[in-house]
Amino acid sequence: MRDFAAIDFETANEQLSSVCSIGIVVVRNGIITDRFYSLIQPEPNYYSLQNSSIHSLTYEDTVKEAVFSKVWFRVESLIEGLPLVAHNKGFDEACLKAAFKTYQMDYPDYRFYCTLAESRRQLKHLPNHQLHTVAADCGYILTNHHHALANNYTI
C-alpha cells in the first residue's frame, strides 16, 4: 500500500468517544506528504488517572481546545479518498465511530487496515506485537509512543 493515512487517537477516559488527541501522517506514493496533530476537548470531558498516566494529557491541557467535530472538519480534506491505517485498528476505529456518534455526524465508512494484525501474520518471530516492538524490528526506535503523532512517525 503506497497511499494511506496512518491515524492514532488517545482517549481521556474509558469512553471511546473521549478522544483527547489525534495524530495523522499522510503517505502518498510511499512518501510522507503531510502530518497533522491536534489536542481535542474530550467528550465526556474528564480524565481518568489510568489514561493520563499513559499519555500524560490532563484536563488542563485540553479544556480550551476545539471539540472533535471542529477538529475533524480540518482532517477530512487531508485524508479524503485514503484508507486509514492504525496499530490495533479496533481501538482507533471504535474511537472514530464513537466520536462521530457523539457529535451526531454521518460516518462515511472509512476503510481501516491494522498493522497489529499484519505484524502478527508477518512477524511471527517477535515476542509480542506491541507498537514499539514491531517498530524496532522494522528498524525504527519509538520515543514517547503514547503521543498520537509519535505513533505515526514510524511510517
Side-chain angles (χ1 to χ4, degrees), residues 4-17:
F4 61 92
I7 189 167
D8 186 53
F9 290 107
E10 300 299 334
T11 56
N13 55 61
E14 67 284 348
Q15 301 296 315
L16 292 171
S17 64

Side-chain angles (χ1 to χ4, degrees), residues 133-152:
T133 304
V134 173
D137 190 67
C138 294
Y140 298 95
I141 303 302
L142 290 184
T143 57
N144 193 20
H145 72 277
H146 284 290
H147 179 285
L149 189 56
N151 283 358
N152 292 320

Side-chain angles (χ1 to χ4, degrees), residues 14 18 24 35 37 46 53 57-58 86 100 105 117 131 146:
E14 67 284 348
S18 72
I24 296 174
R35 290 182 174 87
Y37 176 77
Y46 68 90
S53 70
L57 295 172
T58 66
F100 265 74
M105 299 163 59
L131 181 59
H146 284 290

Side-chain angles (χ1 to χ4, degrees), residues 5-64:
I7 189 167
D8 186 53
F9 290 107
E10 300 299 334
T11 56
N13 55 61
E14 67 284 348
Q15 301 296 315
L16 292 171
S17 64
S18 72
V19 294
C20 59
S21 71
I22 182 175
I24 296 174
V25 172
V26 175
V27 176
R28 295 188 187 275
N29 201 27
I31 298 169
I32 295 174
T33 59
D34 211 342
R35 290 182 174 87
F36 176 86
Y37 176 77
S38 182
L39 293 174
I40 300 170
Q41 187 180 123
E43 179 59 43
N45 194 5
Y46 68 90
Y47 280 77
S48 72
L49 182 58
Q50 179 179 354
N51 290 49
S52 287
S53 70
I54 293 169
H55 51 57
S56 301
L57 295 172
T58 66
Y59 176 85
E60 290 76 23
D61 294 319
T62 59
V63 68
K64 294 182 180 176

Side-chain angles (χ1 to χ4, degrees), residues 103-119:
Y103 288 94
Q104 300 176 352
M105 299 163 59
D106 292 329
Y107 187 79
D109 288 326
Y110 292 107
R111 285 181 299 149
F112 261 88
Y113 293 91
C114 185
T115 58
L116 175 60
E118 193 60 30
S119 73

